[in-house]
Amino acid sequence: MKDFINKLYKNHSLIYKGLLFISTTFFIVYLFPKSGKFKYNFENGKPWQSENLYAPFDFAIKKTDGEIESEKEVLVNNSVLYFNLDNTIEAKIKSSYSNHFKNTFSDSIPRSVSKKLYKIGEKIVDELYLFGVLSEDYNFPEDRAIVVLDGRVKKQDGFFSHLIKQDGVSKVIDNALNKQGVIQYKTVFTSLFFDLVEPNLVFDKSFTDKALQEEIGKIAYTRGSVAKETLIISKGEVVEGDKYQILKSLQSEYESQVWSKSNYIWVLFAYTLLVALALLMLLLFLRKYRIEVFENNTKVTFIFFNVSLMIFITTFVVNYDAKYIYIVPICILPLVLKAFFDARLGLFSHVLTVLLIGFIVPNSYEYMFLQIIAGIVTILTVSELYKRANLFISVGQITLIYIIAYFAFVVIHEGSVKTIKWEIFIWFILSGLATLFVQPLIYIYEKIFGLVSDVSLLELSDTNSKLLKELSDKAPGTFHHSLNVANLAEASANEIGANAMLVRVGALYHDIGKMRNPTFFTENQSTGINPHDELSPKESARIITDHVINGIEIAKKNNLPDRVIDFIRTHHGSSVVYYFYMQEKKEYDDVDKLDFSYPGPKPFSKETAILMMCDSIEAASKSLKEPTSTKIDAFVENIINKQIKDEQFLNADITFKEIESIKKVLKHKLANIYHLRIEYPE
């Protein structure tokens, strides 16, 4: 049991990566659409590239969106209008008609004429209320079908023209009087019915809308069907018209059937295999080419988190509305990874992420082409992310690439620029603006994952920072030494393509531990008094080597990033404080070298190796007397060759060729520092 626990402990890093790999795989598969993928690619207006396609099963042909919308429009334009009838109004009007007639017509009219006029008035009332009088003037077509409801019961139906509008009462009166040849009584009858007529019909909008929705619900979304084994399309035949719609119907039916039947588990298993394969490629890339990243679980977690985040955001947008897919700023991923790691890792992760997103988005080929091209442009154009102007310029270039590529795809697919959706250009611009969010995002990631970007390194390189000002006040000689080392290290890093900003910051802070006992270091001894004179060589060596431990403590107290602390830990490696070691050997034969050695570790990167070389060269150069080019060359060769002999660079991924390049830079820089020139006569 104990051995098993020990094995678990020794392999805890790999176990963690395995669990991270599995959980990320399942999370991404969970985000994928719950359907299979149609195995054929086709485009409207383009030839069918595959072999002759026969229907694999019976399926219905779906109507196009345009056809369905057209049917809906016809139903809306021809839907029945429903009006509610107040059946008390007609009876009320008829009962009060007699009194109104007597009050309106005088007794001087002959009795026979009066009876005739009375009957004409009754006919007018019957005609007005045959269908009913509207309460207000509704703007409907005259031939629109109507139904009059009496207490939700259909009383009669007809057309809208049958209903009497407010301004139509006078027309009914005129027609009735003309037929009977008594038009001279028009004014009197108009006055009579003006006071008498009341509307008895009200438009029932809610009932009309409900009936319309019921009719719309009856619309069939399919038209006809295709039987199994029927030839759908032949190789080389142009995909257009009904052929295109049949293929779209087959694609939709295929995807829904694949996921809903017994092979659900197989489809899920296939998705899992593909996602796992993509993530495995990412892990293998890290293990082969970025071993320092692979061995750091926090960094691996950070990369997997960003890949998952991009897929999650894209899935969310697709589920909401796929037309907004290009608003998602996918190019943030390579920007972030380049800021914390390097361009190659950023591009590799970006390509794998886009390939996985291809399972989610429509028009996956077009989408993947656009995003991969944009990612390449991002990697090639964005340099020195801490310079704000560079980011704005790069975002502009990325947006331009999106627009150009999309324009080209539309022309290829449609053969014309008339069908371009100009609003997509706005989405590309919005995506570019969203990419600017990378700056605050990098800051957030630094705080959450404890990583360091060039932006933070730029802030740390400010010599007016609190810690460097404290170093300048307490140990001015050490501060001056650190500045010189920073300049040498930066030039050396630029020469071999290392991270110049990182090594400069590491050089500025590498000796902050000397603030604890500044006068024990020669560069800070301005009074000529050397406190080591009163100490034994072993005690002096301990104070000298302790500046590494003290530096780590001060750095952690001031929240310096681990990448900077690495320079403090490694800038002396496991080398020996040679002066005091030799002093001790003069007095004793048996001297333990470990008592005079730095605790290590040895440099494990190009940048930390560069700092060790530059620190040793700059410190020892103060002992050069009457320096010449020959002396400086020999001096640089001796110190660095001794470090190589002591195997100080054994763990660093630096080559002999790069070391030789660094030697040349240091020789040139020292020659400039000591102003070597010909001696002029007095």
Side-chain angles (χ1 to χ4, degrees):
M1 184 67 182
K2 187 176 180 181
D3 292 339
F4 177 72
I5 293 173
N6 287 335
K7 283 184 179 180
L8 284 179
Y9 179 77
K10 287 179 181 178
N11 297 297
H12 73 279
S13 181
L14 285 175
I15 294 171
Y16 174 82
K17 290 182 183 69
L19 292 174
L20 178 66
F21 172 80
I22 293 169
S23 59
T24 306
T25 300
F26 282 119
F27 176 72
I28 293 174
V29 171
Y30 172 77
L31 295 175
F32 275 7
K34 303 300 184 288
S35 64
K37 293 290 287 185
F38 191 53
K39 60 182 176 180
Y40 300 105
N41 289 316
F42 59 92
E43 297 174 15
N44 193 14
K46 297 292 179 183
W48 179 255
Q49 300 294 333
S50 305
E51 297 297 325
N52 295 353
L53 178 62
Y54 295 88
F57 44 73
D58 296 340
F59 66 93
I61 303 172
K62 293 189 174 183
K63 295 177 182 176
T64 64
D65 292 340
E67 289 174 330
I68 294 171
E69 287 301 318
S70 179
E71 289 186 29
K72 286 182 180 178
E73 188 176 349
V74 170
L75 285 177
V76 170
N77 293 334
N78 297 289
S79 62
V80 177
L81 303 175
Y82 290 86
F83 293 86
N84 290 323
L85 173 70
D86 186 347
N87 54 20
T88 63
I89 298 295
E90 185 178 357
K92 175 185 172 185
I93 298 300
K94 287 183 176 180
S95 65
S96 60
Y97 169 68
S98 178
N99 292 330
H100 276 78
F101 184 84
K102 289 177 181 178
N103 293 333
T104 304
F105 289 91
S106 64
D107 295 336
S108 60
I109 300 175
R111 185 175 180 82
S112 59
V113 174
S114 178
K115 282 185 177 182
K116 182 180 180 180
L117 293 176
Y118 186 84
K119 288 182 178 179
I120 291 172
E122 286 182 329
K123 288 181 180 179
I124 291 173
V125 171
D126 289 339
E127 189 173 345
L128 287 174
Y129 289 99
L130 177 62
F131 280 90
V133 179
L134 293 169
S135 60
E136 56 183 281
D137 292 339
Y138 299 100
N139 187 25
F140 294 116
E142 294 293 318
D143 60 348
R144 190 79 170 268
I146 60 102
V147 169
V148 176
L149 300 174
D150 185 1
R152 294 300 179 187
V153 177
K154 178 181 175 181
K155 182 177 181 181
Q156 58 185 334
D157 54 14
F159 297 99
F160 186 69
S161 59
H162 293 150
L163 306 182
I164 306 300
K165 298 181 182 178
Q166 295 287 337
D167 59 357
V169 175
S170 60
K171 289 182 181 179
V172 175
I173 295 171
D174 289 351
N175 291 336
L177 295 178
N178 275 325
K179 286 180 181 179
Q180 299 298 325
V182 288
I183 192 64
Q184 65 270 26
Y185 293 102
K186 174 183 176 181
T187 304
V188 182
F189 266 97
T190 302
S191 175
L192 166 64
F193 283 102
F194 181 81
D195 295 330
L196 183 65
V197 173
E198 292 182 29
N200 66 336
L201 291 180
V202 177
F203 177 54
D204 193 337
K205 187 176 186 306
S206 63
F207 194 86
T208 300
D209 290 343
K210 183 179 178 181
L212 175 60
Q213 291 304 317
E214 287 181 2
E215 290 299 316
I216 290 175
K218 295 176 183 177
I219 292 177
Y221 286 82
T222 60
R223 50 174 176 83
S225 62
V226 177
K228 185 178 180 181
E229 300 300 332
T230 302
L231 177 64
I232 295 175
I233 193 167
S234 303
K235 184 174 182 179
E237 190 176 349
V238 176
V239 179
E240 59 184 354
D242 280 347
K243 295 285 184 184
Y244 178 73
Q245 194 56 33
I246 291 171
L247 285 170
K248 292 294 289 183
S249 302
L250 175 60
Q251 180 182 22
S252 176
E253 187 69 20
Y254 177 86
E255 291 179 349
S256 62
Q257 283 196 7
V258 165
W259 197 260
S260 60
K261 291 186 176 179
S262 59
N263 53 2
Y264 171 92
I265 299 299
W266 282 109
V267 174
L268 193 66
F269 177 69
Y271 270 139
T272 305
L273 279 181
L274 291 174
V275 175
L277 189 63
L279 295 179
L280 182 62
M281 293 304 102
L282 182 54
L283 281 176
L284 291 176
F285 174 86
L286 295 176
R287 190 172 183 275
K288 185 171 180 62
Y289 298 106
R290 300 292 181 272
I291 189 65
E292 74 282 358
V293 176
F294 179 80
E295 291 176 349
N296 189 315
N297 285 340
T298 301
K299 292 179 179 179
V300 176
T301 304
F302 174 74
I303 295 169
F304 275 58
F305 170 78
N306 276 278
V307 171
S308 303
L309 180 64
M310 286 295 114
I311 296 174
F312 171 76
I313 294 173
T314 305
T315 306
F316 178 80
V317 173
V318 169
N319 290 339
Y320 176 74
D321 194 335
K323 70 180 183 180
Y324 297 121
I325 188 63
Y326 287 111
I327 295 180
V328 180
I330 298 295
C331 287
I332 279 184
L333 179 63
L335 276 175
V336 167
L337 295 183
K338 184 179 179 181
F340 288 113
F341 306 110
D342 61 84
R344 190 176 177 187
L345 174 56
L347 182 59
F348 191 86
S349 303
H350 174 73
V351 170
L352 285 180
T353 304
V354 171
L355 291 176
L356 290 174
I357 292 175
F359 287 106
I360 301 168
V361 298
N363 298 323
S364 56
Y365 174 77
E366 175 184 321
Y367 177 86
M368 289 190 293
F369 183 89
L370 283 174
Q371 296 296 359
I372 289 174
I373 290 294
I376 292 171
V377 171
T378 301
I379 292 297
L380 294 178
T381 60
V382 178
S383 58
E384 298 176 325
L385 193 60
Y386 53 85
K387 294 182 180 178
R388 289 171 294 181
N390 286 357
L391 181 60
F392 279 98
I393 293 169
S394 296
V395 165
Q397 292 171 332
I398 294 165
T399 306
L400 182 62
I401 290 297
Y402 273 133
I403 292 172
I404 293 172
Y406 172 74
F407 175 83
F409 264 110
V410 170
V411 173
I412 290 171
H413 290 171
E414 307 295 339
S416 170
V417 297
K418 294 179 181 178
T419 56
I420 288 180
K421 297 178 181 178
W422 298 102
E423 67 268 19
I424 291 184
F425 292 161
I426 297 174
W427 300 338
F428 288 143
I429 294 171
L430 291 175
S431 176
L433 294 175
T435 305
L436 296 174
F437 183 69
V438 71
Q439 285 282 19
L441 188 64
I442 286 173
Y443 177 78
I444 294 169
Y445 280 154
E446 286 178 336
K447 299 303 178 185
I448 294 175
F449 291 93
L451 301 172
V452 184
S453 68
D454 285 350
V455 180
S456 292
L457 292 176
L458 181 66
E459 293 173 356
L460 290 170
S461 67
D462 183 8
T463 53
N464 288 317
S465 64
K466 178 184 175 183
L467 192 55
L468 290 180
K469 286 189 78 173
E470 186 181 354
L471 177 64
S472 176
D473 293 338
K474 292 184 177 179
T478 300
F479 177 72
H480 181 70
H481 159 73
S482 298
L483 288 176
N484 289 337
V485 173
N487 292 331
L488 294 174
E490 185 177 21
S492 301
N494 283 326
E495 182 68 21
I496 66 169
N499 191 331
M501 178 66 73
L502 177 62
V503 77
R504 179 175 181 82
V505 172
L508 288 173
Y509 290 91
H510 78 282
D511 269 345
I512 55 173
K514 292 181 179 179
M515 287 192 292
R516 292 275 175 90
N517 298 295
T519 56
F520 282 85
F521 301 91
T522 55
E523 66 266 25
N524 300 311
Q525 295 171 358
S526 56
T527 60
I529 300 173
N530 189 347
H532 289 289
D533 294 340
E534 300 176 2
L535 301 174
S536 67
K538 187 179 289 188
E539 289 174 322
S540 295
R542 183 180 55 79
I543 292 173
I544 297 298
T545 56
D546 277 354
H547 87 273
V548 172
I549 304 299
N550 294 335
I552 295 171
E553 290 176 358
I554 294 170
K556 288 186 175 180
K557 185 178 179 181
N558 286 271
N559 297 317
L560 288 185
D562 288 339
R563 288 179 77 187
V564 177
I565 295 175
D566 286 340
F567 287 91
I568 300 173
R569 293 166 54 218
T570 60
H571 74 278
H572 284 295
S574 59
S575 60
V576 177
V577 184
Y578 199 70
Y579 177 80
F580 292 112
Y581 173 69
M582 295 306 295
Q583 291 279 34
E584 184 78 358
K585 284 199 76 172
K586 289 178 183 178
E587 299 182 20
Y588 306 100
D589 293 330
D590 186 19
V591 179
D592 188 354
K593 214 172 187 179
L594 289 176
D595 293 335
F596 295 86
S597 299
Y598 284 96
K602 296 175 182 179
F604 48 79
S605 66
K606 288 181 183 180
E607 288 78 15
T608 50
I610 289 170
L611 178 61
M612 172 179 269
M613 293 183 228
C614 295
D615 181 43
S616 301
I617 294 293
E618 204 286 329
S621 67
K622 299 294 190 294
S623 63
L624 281 173
K625 296 178 181 178
E626 298 180 0
T628 62
S629 294
T630 306
K631 280 186 178 181
I632 288 174
D633 289 355
F635 168 77
V636 171
E637 291 286 344
N638 289 337
I639 289 180
I640 295 180
N641 287 342
K642 187 176 185 305
Q643 290 174 336
I644 295 172
K645 185 180 178 182
D646 291 342
E647 298 183 341
Q648 294 299 322
F649 307 134
L650 202 61
N651 299 330
D653 56 341
I654 192 166
T655 64
F656 283 113
K657 183 179 179 181
E658 288 169 336
I659 292 174
E660 289 301 317
S661 298
I662 292 169
K663 286 179 181 178
K664 289 179 183 178
V665 171
L666 294 176
K667 291 171 185 177
H668 177 70
K669 286 287 182 181
L670 285 180
N672 288 335
I673 289 171
Y674 288 103
H675 306 287
L676 297 181
R677 62 185 72 179
I678 61 172
E679 187 174 340
Y680 292 98
E682 295 182 1

